[in-house]
Amino acid sequence: MCTRCVMDTSASDICFDEHGVCNYCTDFLRKSGHIIHADPATKQGQLDAFIARVKREGKGKRYDCVVGVSGGVDSSWVLVRVVELGLRPLAVHMDNGWNSELAQNNIANLVQGLGVDLYTHVIDWPEYKALMQAFFDADVIDVELLYDNAMLAVNYQQASAHGVKWILSGSNQATEGMSIPEDWKWIKHDQRNIKAIAKAHGDVRMRTFPSIGTLQYVWAEFVRRIKWTPILNLMDYNKFDAMRALQESHGYKPYPYKHYESIFTRFYQGYLLPRKFGVDKRRVHLSTLVVTGQMAREDALADLQGIPYPSLAEMESDRQYFLKKMGWTEAQLEAYLGRPAQPHAAYANELRLWNGLKDIYLRVRR
Ligand SMILES: [Zn+2]
């Protein structure tokens, strides 16, 4: 394990320097130092200029930005702050059938209190369930690719439909900036990979499922000029302060861990990922908090000693919920956990296309 953060060899490409410090926290600090330790006045100036631009470009339109909300702290805080800064957002939420009641209530309280319009895209559950089943049958690691891809698609669709140029997201360097190891996830704009996995396992067709491929993404960003912007990077963002303000002023109820607003996400991160893939995503989140000085390393280590669930009872309750919702028996879950993982790259995919376009982009920018 790294001596500065809490990343360890469960990330297969981790390497350590002579002091036992890993490449993950080193790269993170190198890439994001200018964001985290930026001079407050410079940051404020950048934020003011950005807000002025969004307002200017949104003149005469019903909304000037889209804010994707999951019910989590990061995206909730974005919504609160942009309203305070005088923007007119449309809140966009995706309901994939797994949202916790707590998350639904948090979103409802938030938009009501702020007087913001909410667009909720409800995904067709039988279709989504069949897609999830295909991903489980394929034994690939990134089952959340389905949700993440659909969420991107819905946000771009809504921005496009309202002529809005800005999608403001809650992703940020301060609390989740450290890179997720490559072998823990798959690229999120890979519509071809989703289709190939769905076809190979149960011949599932995507009829209403919103999805986006690499080329559509490039079209939206560079031709339509709809910009996906992590606005929290322009602010002094501290998750604990944000949580306190949300609770005190916006009727917000906290979750025990990050991303626990969706029952599937917490079961995936707290049960399936560790048991089938040997991956504990808390390492990345906790490491980020440690190296940005928001948490002591000893506290992070103590957190990791416990199961990735507030209690065994809650883990068991989610397990039962998962079995019932997916229509699985105990034996099916055991069989799934026992099978070896298979790579996403075993199916048709857009990795080469994505990497090729990224190379071109970086070359042009240079
Ligand atoms: Zn490290």
Side-chain angles (χ1 to χ4, degrees), residues 137-223:
D137 290 341
D139 296 306
V140 290
I141 191 167
D142 198 349
V143 186
E144 292 278 65
L145 172 58
L146 291 168
Y147 177 86
D148 294 338
N149 186 282
M151 204 246 328
L152 287 170
V154 170
N155 275 284
Y156 280 112
Q157 276 165 13
Q158 284 303 305
S160 192
H162 293 283
V164 166
K165 297 292 182 198
W166 298 97
I167 299 173
L168 308 181
S169 86
S171 56
N172 66 92
Q173 293 285 326
T175 66
E176 59 179 19
M178 193 174 290
S179 308
I180 305 269
E182 289 294 327
D183 53 354
W184 291 12
K185 61 165 175 58
W186 191 247
I187 48 169
K188 298 300 184 185
H189 307 103
D190 200 339
Q191 190 182 49
R192 191 187 294 164
N193 198 236
I194 298 176
K195 280 187 176 163
I197 291 169
K199 185 157 180 26
H201 298 276
D203 199 15
V204 183
R205 303 283 164 79
M206 287 155 52
R207 292 176 207 283
T208 62
F209 182 74
S211 66
I212 185 168
T214 301
L215 292 176
Q216 290 160 282
Y217 163 74
V218 170
W219 178 263
E221 280 275 328
F222 296 96
V223 181

Coordinates of all heavy atoms in Angstrom, one line a residue, residues 137-223:
D137 N -24.1 -11.7 -17.2 CA -23.8 -12.9 -17.9 C -22.4 -12.8 -18.6 O -21.7 -13.8 -18.8 CB -24.9 -13.2 -18.9 CG -26.2 -13.7 -18.2 OD1 -26.1 -14.0 -17.0 OD2 -27.2 -13.6 -18.9
A138 N -22.0 -11.6 -19.0 CA -20.8 -11.4 -19.7 C -19.6 -11.3 -18.7 O -18.4 -11.4 -19.1 CB -20.8 -10.1 -20.5
D139 N -19.9 -11.2 -17.4 CA -18.9 -11.1 -16.3 C -17.9 -10.0 -16.5 O -16.7 -10.0 -16.1 CB -18.1 -12.4 -16.2 CG -18.9 -13.6 -15.8 OD1 -19.6 -13.5 -14.8 OD2 -19.0 -14.6 -16.6
V140 N -18.4 -8.9 -17.1 CA -17.5 -7.7 -17.3 C -17.6 -6.8 -16.0 O -18.7 -6.8 -15.3 CB -17.9 -6.9 -18.5 CG1 -17.5 -7.6 -19.8 CG2 -19.4 -6.5 -18.5
I141 N -16.6 -6.0 -15.8 CA -16.6 -5.3 -14.5 C -17.5 -4.1 -14.4 O -18.1 -3.8 -13.4 CB -15.1 -4.9 -14.2 CG1 -15.0 -4.4 -12.7 CG2 -14.6 -3.8 -15.1 CD1 -13.6 -4.3 -12.2
D142 N -17.6 -3.3 -15.5 CA -18.3 -2.1 -15.4 C -19.8 -2.1 -15.7 O -20.3 -1.7 -16.8 CB -17.6 -1.0 -16.3 CG -18.0 0.4 -16.0 OD1 -18.9 0.6 -15.1 OD2 -17.3 1.3 -16.5
V143 N -20.5 -2.7 -14.8 CA -22.0 -2.8 -14.9 C -22.6 -1.4 -14.9 O -23.7 -1.1 -15.5 CB -22.6 -3.7 -13.8 CG1 -24.1 -3.9 -14.1 CG2 -21.9 -5.0 -13.8
E144 N -21.9 -0.4 -14.3 CA -22.4 1.0 -14.2 C -22.3 1.7 -15.5 O -22.8 2.8 -15.6 CB -21.7 1.7 -13.0 CG -22.1 1.2 -11.7 CD -23.4 1.8 -11.1 OE1 -24.4 1.5 -11.7 OE2 -23.3 2.6 -10.2
L145 N -21.6 1.1 -16.4 CA -21.4 1.7 -17.8 C -22.8 2.0 -18.3 O -23.0 3.1 -19.0 CB -20.7 0.8 -18.7 CG -20.6 1.1 -20.2 CD1 -20.0 2.5 -20.4 CD2 -19.8 0.0 -20.9
L146 N -23.8 1.2 -18.0 CA -25.2 1.4 -18.5 C -25.7 2.7 -18.0 O -26.3 3.5 -18.8 CB -26.0 0.2 -18.1 CG -25.7 -1.1 -18.7 CD1 -26.5 -2.3 -18.0 CD2 -26.1 -1.1 -20.2
Y147 N -25.7 2.9 -16.7 CA -26.2 4.1 -16.1 C -25.5 5.3 -16.6 O -26.0 6.3 -16.9 CB -26.2 4.0 -14.6 CG -26.7 5.2 -13.9 CD1 -28.1 5.4 -13.7 CD2 -25.9 6.2 -13.5 CE1 -28.6 6.5 -13.0 CE2 -26.3 7.4 -12.9 CZ -27.7 7.5 -12.7 OH -28.2 8.7 -12.1
D148 N -24.1 5.2 -16.5 CA -23.3 6.4 -16.8 C -23.5 6.8 -18.3 O -23.6 8.0 -18.6 CB -21.8 6.1 -16.6 CG -21.6 5.9 -15.1 OD1 -22.3 6.3 -14.2 OD2 -20.6 5.2 -14.7
N149 N -23.6 5.9 -19.2 CA -23.8 6.2 -20.6 C -25.1 6.8 -20.8 O -25.3 7.8 -21.5 CB -23.6 4.9 -21.4 CG -23.6 5.2 -22.9 OD1 -24.7 5.4 -23.5 ND2 -22.4 5.3 -23.5
A150 N -26.2 6.2 -20.2 CA -27.5 6.8 -20.4 C -27.6 8.2 -19.8 O -28.3 9.1 -20.3 CB -28.5 5.8 -19.7
M151 N -26.9 8.4 -18.7 CA -27.0 9.7 -18.0 C -26.3 10.7 -18.9 O -26.9 11.8 -19.1 CB -26.2 9.6 -16.7 CG -26.6 10.6 -15.7 SD -25.3 11.7 -15.3 CE -23.8 10.8 -15.5
L152 N -25.2 10.4 -19.5 CA -24.6 11.3 -20.5 C -25.5 11.6 -21.6 O -25.8 12.8 -22.0 CB -23.3 10.7 -21.1 CG -22.1 10.6 -20.2 CD1 -21.0 9.7 -20.9 CD2 -21.5 12.0 -19.9
A153 N -26.1 10.6 -22.2 CA -27.0 10.7 -23.3 C -28.2 11.7 -23.0 O -28.5 12.6 -23.7 CB -27.6 9.4 -23.8
V154 N -28.8 11.5 -21.8 CA -30.0 12.2 -21.4 C -29.6 13.7 -21.2 O -30.3 14.6 -21.6 CB -30.7 11.6 -20.2 CG1 -31.7 12.6 -19.6 CG2 -31.3 10.3 -20.5
N155 N -28.5 13.9 -20.6 CA -28.0 15.3 -20.3 C -27.8 16.1 -21.6 O -28.2 17.2 -21.8 CB -26.8 15.4 -19.5 CG -27.1 15.3 -18.0 OD1 -27.5 16.3 -17.4 ND2 -26.9 14.1 -17.4
Y156 N -27.1 15.4 -22.6 CA -26.9 16.0 -23.9 C -28.2 16.3 -24.6 O -28.4 17.3 -25.3 CB -25.9 15.2 -24.7 CG -24.4 15.4 -24.3 CD1 -23.7 14.4 -23.8 CD2 -23.8 16.7 -24.6 CE1 -22.4 14.6 -23.4 CE2 -22.5 16.9 -24.2 CZ -21.8 15.8 -23.6 OH -20.5 16.1 -23.2
Q157 N -29.1 15.3 -24.6 CA -30.4 15.4 -25.2 C -31.1 16.6 -24.7 O -31.7 17.4 -25.5 CB -31.3 14.2 -25.0 CG -31.0 13.0 -25.9 CD -31.6 11.7 -25.4 OE1 -32.4 11.8 -24.4 NE2 -31.3 10.6 -26.0
Q158 N -31.2 16.8 -23.4 CA -31.9 17.9 -22.8 C -31.3 19.2 -23.1 O -32.0 20.2 -23.5 CB -32.0 17.7 -21.3 CG -33.0 16.7 -20.9 CD -34.4 17.0 -21.4 OE1 -35.0 18.0 -21.2 NE2 -35.0 16.0 -22.1
A159 N -29.9 19.3 -23.1 CA -29.2 20.5 -23.4 C -29.6 20.9 -24.9 O -29.9 22.0 -25.2 CB -27.7 20.3 -23.2
S160 N -29.5 19.9 -25.7 CA -29.8 20.1 -27.1 C -31.2 20.6 -27.4 O -31.5 21.5 -28.1 CB -29.5 18.8 -27.9 OG -29.5 19.0 -29.2
A161 N -32.2 19.9 -26.7 CA -33.6 20.2 -26.9 C -33.9 21.7 -26.5 O -34.8 22.3 -27.0 CB -34.5 19.3 -26.1
H162 N -33.2 22.2 -25.5 CA -33.4 23.5 -25.0 C -32.4 24.6 -25.5 O -32.4 25.7 -25.0 CB -33.4 23.5 -23.4 CG -34.6 22.8 -22.8 ND1 -35.9 23.3 -22.8 CD2 -34.7 21.5 -22.3 CE1 -36.7 22.4 -22.2 NE2 -36.0 21.3 -22.0
G163 N -31.6 24.2 -26.4 CA -30.6 25.1 -27.0 C -29.6 25.6 -25.9 O -29.1 26.7 -26.0
V164 N -29.4 24.8 -24.9 CA -28.4 25.2 -23.9 C -27.0 24.7 -24.2 O -26.8 23.6 -24.7 CB -28.9 24.6 -22.5 CG1 -27.9 24.6 -21.5 CG2 -30.2 25.2 -22.1
K165 N -26.0 25.5 -23.9 CA -24.6 25.2 -24.3 C -23.8 24.6 -23.1 O -22.7 24.3 -23.3 CB -23.9 26.5 -24.8 CG -24.5 27.0 -26.1 CD -24.3 26.1 -27.2 CE -24.9 26.6 -28.5 NZ -25.0 25.6 -29.6
W166 N -24.4 24.6 -21.9 CA -23.6 24.3 -20.8 C -24.3 23.2 -20.0 O -25.4 23.3 -19.5 CB -23.3 25.5 -19.9 CG -22.6 26.5 -20.6 CD1 -23.1 27.6 -21.2 CD2 -21.1 26.6 -20.8 NE1 -22.1 28.3 -21.8 CE2 -20.9 27.7 -21.6 CE3 -20.1 25.7 -20.5 CZ2 -19.6 28.1 -22.0 CZ3 -18.8 26.1 -20.8 CH2 -18.6 27.2 -21.6
I167 N -23.5 22.1 -19.8 CA -24.0 21.0 -18.8 C -23.0 21.1 -17.6 O -21.8 20.9 -17.8 CB -23.9 19.6 -19.5 CG1 -24.9 19.6 -20.7 CG2 -24.3 18.6 -18.4 CD1 -24.7 18.3 -21.5
L168 N -23.5 21.4 -16.5 CA -22.7 21.6 -15.3 C -22.8 20.3 -14.5 O -23.9 19.9 -14.1 CB -23.1 22.8 -14.5 CG -23.2 24.1 -15.4 CD1 -23.6 25.3 -14.5 CD2 -21.9 24.4 -16.1
S169 N -21.6 19.7 -14.2 CA -21.7 18.4 -13.5 C -21.0 18.5 -12.2 O -20.2 19.5 -11.9 CB -21.0 17.3 -14.3 OG -19.6 17.4 -14.1
G170 N -21.3 17.6 -11.3 CA -20.7 17.6 -9.9 C -19.4 16.9 -9.8 O -18.8 16.8 -8.8
S171 N -18.8 16.4 -11.0 CA -17.5 15.8 -10.9 C -16.5 16.8 -10.6 O -16.6 18.0 -11.0 CB -17.2 15.1 -12.2 OG -17.3 16.0 -13.3
N172 N -15.5 16.5 -9.8 CA -14.6 17.5 -9.3 C -13.3 16.9 -8.9 O -13.2 15.7 -8.5 CB -15.2 18.3 -8.2 CG -15.4 17.4 -7.0 OD1 -14.6 17.4 -6.1 ND2 -16.5 16.7 -6.9
Q173 N -12.2 17.8 -8.9 CA -10.9 17.3 -8.5 C -10.7 17.2 -7.0 O -10.0 16.3 -6.5 CB -9.8 18.3 -9.0 CG -9.7 18.3 -10.5 CD -9.0 17.1 -11.1 OE1 -8.1 16.6 -10.4 NE2 -9.4 16.7 -12.2
A174 N -11.5 18.0 -6.2 CA -11.3 18.0 -4.8 C -11.6 16.7 -4.1 O -11.0 16.3 -3.2 CB -12.0 19.2 -4.2
T175 N -12.7 16.1 -4.5 CA -13.2 14.9 -3.8 C -13.1 13.6 -4.6 O -13.2 12.5 -4.0 CB -14.6 15.0 -3.2 OG1 -15.5 15.1 -4.3 CG2 -14.7 16.3 -2.3
E176 N -13.0 13.7 -5.9 CA -13.0 12.5 -6.7 C -12.0 12.6 -7.8 O -12.1 11.8 -8.8 CB -14.4 12.1 -7.2 CG -15.0 13.2 -8.1 CD -16.3 12.8 -8.6 OE1 -16.9 11.9 -8.1 OE2 -16.7 13.4 -9.6
G177 N -11.0 13.4 -7.6 CA -10.1 13.7 -8.7 C -9.1 12.6 -9.0 O -8.6 12.5 -10.1
M178 N -8.8 11.7 -8.1 CA -7.8 10.7 -8.3 C -8.4 9.7 -9.4 O -9.6 9.4 -9.3 CB -7.5 10.0 -7.1 CG -6.2 9.1 -7.2 SD -5.7 8.4 -5.7 CE -5.1 9.8 -4.8
S179 N -7.5 9.4 -10.3 CA -8.0 8.5 -11.4 C -8.5 7.1 -10.9 O -7.8 6.6 -10.0 CB -6.9 8.2 -12.4 OG -6.4 9.4 -12.8
I180 N -9.6 6.7 -11.4 CA -10.0 5.3 -11.1 C -9.1 4.4 -12.0 O -8.9 4.7 -13.2 CB -11.5 5.1 -11.6 CG1 -12.4 6.1 -10.9 CG2 -11.9 3.6 -11.3 CD1 -13.0 5.7 -9.6
P181 N -8.5 3.4 -11.4 CA -7.6 2.5 -12.2 C -8.3 2.0 -13.5 O -9.5 1.7 -13.4 CB -7.3 1.3 -11.3 CG -7.4 2.0 -9.9 CD -8.5 3.0 -10.0
E182 N -7.6 1.9 -14.6 CA -8.1 1.6 -15.9 C -8.9 0.3 -15.8 O -9.9 0.1 -16.5 CB -7.0 1.5 -16.9 CG -6.4 2.9 -17.3 CD -7.4 3.8 -18.0 OE1 -8.3 3.2 -18.8 OE2 -7.4 5.0 -17.8
D183 N -8.3 -0.7 -15.1 CA -9.0 -2.0 -15.1 C -10.1 -2.2 -14.2 O -10.7 -3.2 -14.0 CB -7.9 -3.1 -14.9 CG -7.1 -2.9 -13.6 OD1 -7.3 -1.8 -13.0 OD2 -6.3 -3.8 -13.3
W184 N -10.6 -1.0 -13.5 CA -11.7 -1.1 -12.7 C -13.0 -0.6 -13.4 O -14.1 -0.5 -12.8 CB -11.5 -0.2 -11.4 CG -10.5 -0.6 -10.5 CD1 -9.6 -1.7 -10.6 CD2 -10.3 -0.1 -9.1 NE1 -8.9 -1.8 -9.5 CE2 -9.2 -0.9 -8.6 CE3 -10.9 0.9 -8.4 CZ2 -8.8 -0.6 -7.3 CZ3 -10.4 1.2 -7.1 CH2 -9.4 0.4 -6.6
K185 N -12.8 -0.1 -14.6 CA -13.9 0.5 -15.3 C -13.7 0.4 -16.8 O -12.7 -0.1 -17.3 CB -14.0 2.0 -14.9 CG -12.7 2.8 -15.3 CD -12.9 4.2 -15.3 CE -11.8 5.0 -15.6 NZ -10.8 5.4 -16.3
W186 N -14.7 0.9 -17.6 CA -14.6 1.0 -19.0 C -14.9 2.4 -19.5 O -15.5 3.2 -18.7 CB -15.5 -0.1 -19.7 CG -15.3 -0.2 -21.1 CD1 -16.1 0.1 -22.2 CD2 -14.1 -0.8 -21.7 NE1 -15.5 -0.2 -23.4 CE2 -14.3 -0.8 -23.1 CE3 -12.9 -1.3 -21.2 CZ2 -13.3 -1.2 -24.0 CZ3 -11.9 -1.8 -22.1 CH2 -12.1 -1.7 -23.5
I187 N -14.5 2.7 -20.7 CA -14.8 4.1 -21.2 C -16.3 4.3 -21.3 O -17.1 3.4 -21.8 CB -14.1 4.4 -22.6 CG1 -14.4 3.3 -23.6 CG2 -12.7 4.7 -22.4 CD1 -13.9 3.7 -25.0
K188 N -16.7 5.5 -20.9 CA -18.2 5.7 -20.7 C -19.0 6.1 -22.0 O -20.2 6.2 -21.9 CB -18.4 6.8 -19.6 CG -17.8 6.5 -18.3 CD -18.4 5.2 -17.7 CE -17.9 4.9 -16.3 NZ -18.5 3.7 -15.8
H189 N -18.3 6.4 -23.1 CA -19.0 6.8 -24.3 C -19.1 5.6 -25.2 O -19.3 5.7 -26.4 CB -18.3 7.9 -25.0 CG -18.1 9.1 -24.1 ND1 -16.8 9.4 -23.6 CD2 -18.9 10.0 -23.6 CE1 -16.9 10.5 -22.9 NE2 -18.2 10.9 -22.9
D190 N -19.0 4.4 -24.7 CA -18.9 3.2 -25.6 C -20.2 2.5 -25.8 O -20.5 1.5 -25.2 CB -17.8 2.2 -25.0 CG -17.3 1.3 -26.1 OD1 -18.0 1.1 -27.1 OD2 -16.3 0.7 -25.9
Q191 N -21.0 3.1 -26.7 CA -22.3 2.5 -27.1 C -22.1 1.2 -27.8 O -22.9 0.2 -27.6 CB -22.9 3.5 -28.1 CG -24.4 3.2 -28.4 CD -24.9 4.2 -29.4 OE1 -24.2 4.5 -30.5 NE2 -26.0 4.9 -29.1
R192 N -21.0 1.0 -28.6 CA -20.8 -0.2 -29.3 C -20.6 -1.4 -28.4 O -21.1 -2.5 -28.6 CB -19.6 -0.1 -30.3 CG -19.5 -1.2 -31.2 CD -18.2 -1.2 -32.1 NE -18.2 0.0 -32.9 CZ -17.1 0.5 -33.5 NH1 -15.9 -0.1 -33.3 NH2 -17.1 1.5 -34.3
N193 N -19.8 -1.1 -27.3 CA -19.6 -2.2 -26.3 C -20.9 -2.6 -25.6 O -21.1 -3.8 -25.4 CB -18.6 -1.7 -25.3 CG -17.9 -2.8 -24.5 OD1 -17.9 -2.8 -23.3 ND2 -17.3 -3.8 -25.2
I194 N -21.7 -1.7 -25.3 CA -23.0 -2.0 -24.7 C -23.8 -2.8 -25.6 O -24.4 -3.9 -25.2 CB -23.8 -0.7 -24.3 CG1 -23.0 0.1 -23.3 CG2 -25.2 -1.0 -23.8 CD1 -23.7 1.5 -22.9
K195 N -23.9 -2.4 -26.9 CA -24.7 -3.1 -27.9 C -24.2 -4.6 -28.1 O -25.0 -5.5 -28.2 CB -24.7 -2.4 -29.2 CG -25.7 -1.2 -29.2 CD -25.8 -0.6 -30.6 CE -26.8 0.5 -30.7 NZ -26.7 1.3 -31.8
A196 N -22.9 -4.7 -28.1 CA -22.3 -6.0 -28.4 C -22.5 -7.0 -27.2 O -22.8 -8.1 -27.4 CB -20.8 -5.9 -28.6
I197 N -22.4 -6.5 -26.0 CA -22.6 -7.3 -24.8 C -24.1 -7.7 -24.8 O -24.4 -8.9 -24.5 CB -22.2 -6.6 -23.5 CG1 -20.6 -6.4 -23.5 CG2 -22.7 -7.3 -22.3 CD1 -20.1 -5.5 -22.4
A198 N -25.0 -6.7 -25.1 CA -26.4 -7.0 -25.0 C -26.8 -8.0 -26.1 O -27.7 -8.9 -25.9 CB -27.2 -5.7 -25.3
K199 N -26.2 -7.9 -27.3 CA -26.5 -8.9 -28.3 C -26.0 -10.3 -28.0 O -26.7 -11.3 -28.2 CB -25.9 -8.4 -29.7 CG -26.3 -9.2 -30.9 CD -26.2 -8.4 -32.1 CE -26.6 -9.2 -33.4 NZ -27.5 -10.3 -33.2
A200 N -24.8 -10.3 -27.5 CA -24.2 -11.7 -27.2 C -24.9 -12.4 -26.1 O -24.9 -13.6 -26.1 CB -22.7 -11.5 -26.9
H201 N -25.5 -11.7 -25.2 CA -26.2 -12.4 -24.0 C -27.6 -12.1 -24.0 O -28.1 -11.1 -23.4 CB -25.5 -11.9 -22.7 CG -24.0 -12.3 -22.7 ND1 -23.6 -13.6 -22.3 CD2 -22.9 -11.6 -23.0 CE1 -22.3 -13.6 -22.4 NE2 -21.8 -12.5 -22.9
G202 N -28.4 -12.9 -24.6 CA -29.9 -12.8 -24.6 C -30.4 -12.0 -25.8 O -31.6 -11.7 -25.8
D203 N -29.6 -11.6 -26.7 CA -30.0 -10.9 -27.9 C -30.9 -9.7 -27.5 O -32.0 -9.5 -28.1 CB -30.7 -11.8 -28.9 CG -30.8 -11.2 -30.3 OD1 -30.0 -10.3 -30.6 OD2 -31.6 -11.7 -31.1
V204 N -30.4 -8.9 -26.5 CA -31.2 -7.8 -26.0 C -31.1 -6.6 -27.0 O -30.0 -6.3 -27.4 CB -30.7 -7.4 -24.6 CG1 -31.6 -6.3 -24.1 CG2 -30.7 -8.5 -23.7
R205 N -32.2 -6.1 -27.4 CA -32.2 -4.9 -28.3 C -32.5 -3.6 -27.5 O -33.3 -3.7 -26.6 CB -33.3 -5.0 -29.4 CG -33.2 -6.2 -30.2 CD -32.1 -6.1 -31.3 NE -31.8 -7.4 -31.8 CZ -32.5 -8.0 -32.8 NH1 -33.6 -7.5 -33.2 NH2 -32.2 -9.2 -33.2
M206 N -31.7 -2.6 -27.8 CA -32.0 -1.3 -27.2 C -33.1 -0.6 -27.9 O -32.8 0.0 -29.0 CB -30.7 -0.5 -27.1 CG -29.7 -1.1 -26.1 SD -28.0 -0.8 -26.3 CE -27.9 0.9 -26.5
R207 N -34.3 -0.5 -27.4 CA -35.4 0.1 -28.0 C -35.6 1.5 -27.5 O -35.7 2.5 -28.3 CB -36.7 -0.7 -27.8 CG -36.7 -2.0 -28.5 CD -37.9 -2.8 -28.2 NE -37.7 -4.2 -28.3 CZ -37.6 -4.9 -29.5 NH1 -37.8 -4.3 -30.6 NH2 -37.3 -6.2 -29.5
T208 N -35.7 1.7 -26.2 CA -35.9 3.0 -25.7 C -34.7 3.5 -24.8 O -34.7 4.7 -24.4 CB -37.2 3.1 -24.7 OG1 -36.9 2.2 -23.7 CG2 -38.4 2.6 -25.5
F209 N -33.8 2.6 -24.6 CA -32.6 3.0 -23.7 C -31.8 4.1 -24.3 O -31.4 4.0 -25.4 CB -31.8 1.7 -23.5 CG -30.6 1.9 -22.6 CD1 -30.8 2.0 -21.2 CD2 -29.3 2.1 -23.1 CE1 -29.7 2.2 -20.4 CE2 -28.2 2.3 -22.3 CZ -28.4 2.3 -20.9
P210 N -31.7 5.2 -23.6 CA -30.9 6.3 -24.1 C -29.4 6.0 -24.1 O -28.9 5.6 -23.0 CB -31.2 7.5 -23.2 CG -31.8 6.9 -22.0 CD -32.1 5.5 -22.2
S211 N -28.7 6.1 -25.2 CA -27.3 5.8 -25.1 C -26.5 6.8 -26.1 O -27.1 7.4 -26.9 CB -27.0 4.4 -25.5 OG -27.4 4.2 -26.9
I212 N -25.2 6.8 -25.9 CA -24.4 7.8 -26.6 C -23.1 7.1 -27.0 O -22.5 6.4 -26.2 CB -24.2 9.1 -25.9 CG1 -23.4 10.1 -26.7 CG2 -23.4 8.9 -24.5 CD1 -23.5 11.5 -26.1
G213 N -22.7 7.3 -28.3 CA -21.4 6.7 -28.7 C -20.3 7.8 -28.8 O -20.6 9.0 -28.7
T214 N -19.1 7.4 -29.0 CA -18.0 8.4 -29.0 C -18.2 9.5 -30.1 O -18.0 10.6 -29.8 CB -16.7 7.6 -29.4 OG1 -16.5 6.6 -28.4 CG2 -15.5 8.5 -29.4
L215 N -18.7 9.1 -31.3 CA -18.8 10.1 -32.3 C -19.9 11.1 -32.0 O -19.8 12.3 -32.3 CB -19.1 9.4 -33.7 CG -17.9 8.7 -34.2 CD1 -18.2 8.0 -35.5 CD2 -16.7 9.6 -34.4
Q216 N -21.0 10.6 -31.4 CA -22.1 11.5 -31.0 C -21.6 12.4 -29.9 O -22.0 13.6 -29.9 CB -23.3 10.7 -30.4 CG -24.1 9.9 -31.5 CD -24.9 8.8 -30.8 OE1 -24.3 7.8 -30.4 NE2 -26.1 9.0 -30.6
Y217 N -20.8 11.9 -29.0 CA -20.2 12.7 -28.0 C -19.4 13.9 -28.6 O -19.5 15.0 -28.2 CB -19.4 11.9 -27.0 CG -18.5 12.6 -26.1 CD1 -19.0 13.4 -25.0 CD2 -17.1 12.6 -26.3 CE1 -18.1 14.1 -24.2 CE2 -16.3 13.4 -25.5 CZ -16.8 14.1 -24.5 OH -15.9 14.8 -23.7
V218 N -18.5 13.5 -29.5 CA -17.6 14.4 -30.1 C -18.5 15.5 -30.9 O -18.2 16.7 -30.9 CB -16.6 13.7 -31.1 CG1 -15.9 14.7 -32.0 CG2 -15.7 12.9 -30.3
W219 N -19.5 15.0 -31.6 CA -20.5 15.9 -32.3 C -21.1 16.9 -31.3 O -21.1 18.1 -31.6 CB -21.6 15.1 -32.9 CG -22.6 15.9 -33.6 CD1 -23.8 16.3 -33.1 CD2 -22.5 16.4 -35.0 NE1 -24.5 17.1 -34.1 CE2 -23.7 17.2 -35.2 CE3 -21.6 16.4 -36.0 CZ2 -24.0 17.8 -36.4 CZ3 -21.8 17.0 -37.2 CH2 -23.0 17.7 -37.4
A220 N -21.6 16.5 -30.2 CA -22.2 17.3 -29.2 C -21.2 18.4 -28.6 O -21.5 19.6 -28.5 CB -22.8 16.5 -28.0
E221 N -20.0 17.9 -28.3 CA -19.0 18.8 -27.7 C -18.4 19.8 -28.6 O -18.2 20.9 -28.3 CB -17.9 18.0 -27.0 CG -18.3 17.4 -25.6 CD -18.1 18.3 -24.5 OE1 -17.2 19.2 -24.5 OE2 -18.8 18.2 -23.5
F222 N -18.1 19.3 -29.8 CA -17.2 20.1 -30.7 C -18.0 20.7 -31.9 O -17.5 21.7 -32.4 CB -16.0 19.3 -31.2 CG -15.1 18.9 -30.1 CD1 -15.2 17.6 -29.5 CD2 -14.2 19.8 -29.6 CE1 -14.4 17.3 -28.4 CE2 -13.3 19.4 -28.6 CZ -13.5 18.2 -28.0
V223 N -19.1 20.2 -32.3 CA -19.9 20.7 -33.4 C -21.1 21.6 -32.8 O -21.2 22.7 -33.0 CB -20.4 19.7 -34.4 CG1 -21.2 20.3 -35.5 CG2 -19.2 18.9 -34.9

